[in-house]
Amino acid sequence: QLCLSNPEVAKALAAQAANWLRENPNARLISISQNDGFGFCECAACSQIVKSEDGRQSAILLKCINQVAEYLEKEFPDVIIETLAYRDTRRPPLRTRPGKNVMIRLCSIEADFGRSLDSAANANFKRDVEEWGAITERLMIWNYIVDYSNYLIPYPNLSNWAKDLRFLAKNHAWAVFLQGDDGSSGRGDFNQLRSWLASRLLWNPELEVEA
């Protein structure tokens, strides 16, 4: 991971993002996120910021992303800067808040997907949704809805989807991405039904799944 307390890092990220946005003038969202892995910079400056926010790694990431967002807003006032709240950064900072042009994409990768997201089995993720929802109006959820270890086996979680989406909407989720089966070439567990049902529920989470 990058040293996110270094102001030159934020400038470099903003400069690269600005180049991409100039090449894509119709873009309204750009993702600037941590690497897909564990471990963050442990230099004295980064460590002090994290320590000051009760050990929450999201603090150092969000401070850097807010700086990037400030740089970009001057030239691209209509663009949203998205960043992941993922693994180490899943829990929000105590004091640092997302900038007005920053969107948080909270990932549920550690959740028990056989249970609803607001169940006791997922108490930690439920807490994270509620805490992020309380401090930002731009909360996006990245949720996983199939068994990635075996696409073909039955995965009985359909009855949770509407309840999950209603819970997320209640907690100010601005958007939801349901990552489904992209690896079985259409042969997975009720793939067509799952795609159709997910699409319908994303438009209207008040629908009854059984119906």
Side-chain angles (χ1 to χ4, degrees):
Q1 306 285 355
L2 300 173
C3 176
L4 298 175
S5 64
N6 184 339
E8 295 305 313
V9 169
K11 290 179 183 177
L13 291 171
Q16 181 60 67
N19 288 337
W20 284 333
L21 290 169
R22 292 184 193 113
E23 293 171 1
N24 298 275
N26 294 324
R28 290 295 174 266
L29 186 145
I30 188 167
S31 183
I32 304 174
S33 292
Q34 67 203 59
N35 293 319
D36 190 356
F38 294 97
F40 275 77
C41 179
E42 298 178 12
C43 76
C46 285
S47 297
Q48 180 56 40
I49 291 172
V50 174
K51 182 179 178 181
S52 72
E53 299 245 20
D54 195 32
R56 301 187 187 188
Q57 197 68 53
S58 56
I60 184 67
L61 174 65
L62 194 53
K63 283 180 180 293
C64 180
I65 296 301
N66 281 344
Q67 291 173 6
V68 174
E70 286 182 20
Y71 290 134
L72 293 176
E73 185 181 19
K74 299 167 187 175
E75 185 176 349
F76 308 99
D78 298 325
V79 171
I80 300 299
I81 293 79
E82 179 221 69
T83 195
L84 293 172
Y86 175 58
R87 289 179 168 161
D88 291 322
T89 59
R90 214 183 70 195
R91 196 161 189 200
L94 286 179
R95 286 171 284 278
T96 304
R97 297 293 181 259
K100 66 178 185 295
N101 56 335
V102 172
M103 183 174 79
I104 303 299
R105 193 196 294 236
L106 174 62
C107 300
S108 63
I109 194 166
E110 296 91 354
D112 177 348
F113 301 111
R115 316 285 182 87
S116 58
L117 293 178
D118 64 347
S119 67
N122 291 313
N124 287 342
F125 186 72
K126 178 178 183 289
R127 173 205 64 201
D128 296 342
V129 170
E130 293 170 342
E131 289 182 354
W132 278 113
I135 65 171
T136 180
E137 294 182 358
R138 298 192 188 278
L139 175 62
M140 185 174 187
I141 306 296
W142 185 327
N143 198 19
Y144 305 83
I145 57 174
V146 299
D147 185 342
Y148 294 98
S149 64
N150 190 330
Y151 290 113
L152 303 181
I153 65 172
Y155 196 52
N157 65 341
L158 292 177
S159 60
N160 296 334
W161 289 4
K163 184 180 180 183
D164 287 347
L165 289 170
R166 288 194 288 266
F167 162 68
L168 297 173
K170 178 182 176 183
N171 285 280
H172 310 129
W174 191 48
V176 176
F177 167 50
L178 298 178
Q179 184 174 345
D181 175 356
D182 63 346
S184 73
S185 300
R187 301 182 186 90
D189 177 35
F190 287 105
N191 254 9
Q192 290 78 12
L193 171 63
R194 286 173 172 274
S195 296
W196 180 80
L197 184 59
S199 301
R200 293 294 305 277
L201 289 172
L202 284 168
W203 280 109
N204 180 7
E206 298 301 324
L207 294 175
E208 291 299 327
V209 173
E210 290 298 323

